[in-house]
Amino acid sequence: TNDGYLNDIRARALTSRDIHQAIVGATGGPVMEGSVGAGRGTIAFGYKGGIGTSSRRLPAPMGGYTVGVLVQSNHGGALKIDGAPFGRTAAREAFRRRSAVMGDGSIMIVVATDAPLSARNLRRLASRALAGLARTGASMTNGSGDYVIAFSTAVEVRRTVERRRSVATVADLANDGMSPLFLAAIEATEEAILNSLFMATTVSSVGPRGQPRTIDAISLDEVRAYMSSRRP
């Protein structure tokens, strides 16, 4: 995604050595969130964006499947938390002025599941992630690229066929079993985007043409006070 406000992306500062070190140093385990990796220079809803993750596990009667979501938030809109407008990008402010901080941008959403899904149902699952994006108040503006990719880790859907076999049998969850996965993708996407904001830290940098720039992280104290004020 385009993080050109904080990052001088046209400087092409990365070398092949940097890329090699990143690949060699990659590890498994919990994913870091906030202003890390590809999320270092991103901005979401006027606040510091970044990397966020979340997941949902279905009850056993619904298959017990897991849906995990990873996002790189870098987009605009009127931020909503728990369904209500929050902070500097409330609806009345979102388009009052044209700003690289508030308007266009992009978000990349990756949805993973262990449910045995066909390519068609993976596409349907991916489309539901955009409903989670909408829940956060994203406006998906003209200049914003809002992309989702979904994949299944289920062994039984792999198209690996023995050499002597001409027909392969693969598992495929029925359409009637998709609705719980749809809701899981929506909820996990919404939470991953909020996590990308809540885990981010303020970042200062030198942007294109040498201008010093700073994007503040969202204030968690303000978020807590806001959530407390909404309790019955």
Side-chain angles (χ1 to χ4, degrees), residues 91-170:
R92 64 182 181 276
E93 300 288 342
F95 293 101
R96 180 168 292 182
R97 61 187 178 91
R98 176 71 175 174
S99 169
V101 177
M102 299 182 69
D104 294 342
S106 302
I107 181 169
M108 187 68 212
I109 304 171
V110 181
V111 181
T113 182
D114 56 0
L117 302 186
S118 64
R120 182 180 64 83
N121 272 334
L122 283 172
R123 181 182 293 272
R124 296 176 70 209
L125 186 67
S127 69
R128 268 59 179 189
L130 294 176
L133 173 62
R135 281 188 176 187
T136 65
S139 48
M140 305 184 199
T141 57
N142 176 66
S144 183
D146 310 300
Y147 300 103
V148 189
I149 185 171
F151 66 93
S152 171
T153 62
V155 175
E156 57 267 37
V157 300
R158 296 178 183 174
R159 265 62 175 174
T160 53
V161 183
E162 296 179 7
R163 292 183 179 181
R164 296 182 180 180
R165 295 177 60 192
S166 58
V167 177
T169 300
V170 296

Side-chain angles (χ1 to χ4, degrees), residues 58-84:
L58 302 187
M62 297 180 181
Y65 303 117
T66 298
V67 175
V69 174
L70 183 144
V71 305
Q72 180 196 21
S73 62
N74 188 48
H75 58 285
L79 176 61
K80 292 183 178 181
I81 301 176
D82 197 24

Side-chain angles (χ1 to χ4, degrees), residues 138-223:
S139 48
M140 305 184 199
T141 57
N142 176 66
S144 183
D146 310 300
Y147 300 103
V148 189
I149 185 171
F151 66 93
S152 171
T153 62
V155 175
E156 57 267 37
V157 300
R158 296 178 183 174
R159 265 62 175 174
T160 53
V161 183
E162 296 179 7
R163 292 183 179 181
R164 296 182 180 180
R165 295 177 60 192
S166 58
V167 177
T169 300
V170 296
D172 186 6
L173 186 68
N175 289 343
D176 288 344
M178 290 299 299
S179 291
L181 293 173
F182 290 160
L183 181 58
I186 292 169
E187 290 187 355
T189 300
E190 178 185 21
E191 187 173 278
I193 293 169
L194 293 177
N195 286 344
S196 75
L197 292 166
F198 296 161
M199 295 299 291
T201 54
T202 297
V203 170
S204 297
S205 69
V206 177
R209 296 179 294 279
Q211 309 101 319
R213 291 173 172 174
T214 297
I215 297 296
D216 294 324
I218 196 170
S219 169
L220 296 183
D221 288 338
E222 291 181 9
V223 171

Side-chain angles (χ1 to χ4, degrees), residues 3 31 50 59 69 89 145 228:
D3 60 355
V31 176
V69 174
T89 53
S228 295

